[in-house]
Amino acid sequence: MMGRRYLKSGDRVTFESHDEQCKPFQQSGTVKQYIYPDFHPDGYIEVVDEAGDIILYGNAGKEIQKTR
């Protein structure tokens, strides 16, 4: 069993996104908000880009990886 995800505001993360032609690419950003309620297996996450615009929100699945 996987433990809780330990992501917090300010963490740099990468995840797979898709461009206008639906081609996958690695996107990176900074965690703005991460909520881990007891009733949800992955939690809720908001990731922002350099300008502070939200580029990802929703389930914090395992495809979201913290970068070192």
Side-chain angles (χ1 to χ4, degrees):
M1 175 170 147
M2 292 292 295
R4 287 177 177 249
R5 300 283 309 274
Y6 289 101
L7 294 172
K8 56 190 182 302
S9 296
D11 283 349
R12 298 280 303 159
V13 293
T14 61
F15 57 94
E16 187 175 279
S17 190
H18 294 84
D19 66 14
E20 293 81 11
Q21 286 79 43
C22 294
K23 291 195 176 89
F25 70 97
Q26 280 298 111
Q27 176 114 355
S28 63
T30 303
V31 175
K32 178 181 181 186
Q33 180 170 247
Y34 179 63
I35 302 166
Y36 197 107
D38 291 334
F39 59 83
H40 195 284
D42 295 322
Y44 170 82
I45 196 165
E46 289 180 8
V47 178
V48 295
D49 63 12
E50 305 285 322
D53 295 322
I54 293 178
I55 53 175
L56 176 75
Y57 62 91
N59 292 346
K62 293 175 183 40
E63 70 279 357
I64 302 170
Q65 296 294 321
K66 185 173 176 178
T67 56
R68 304 269 173 242

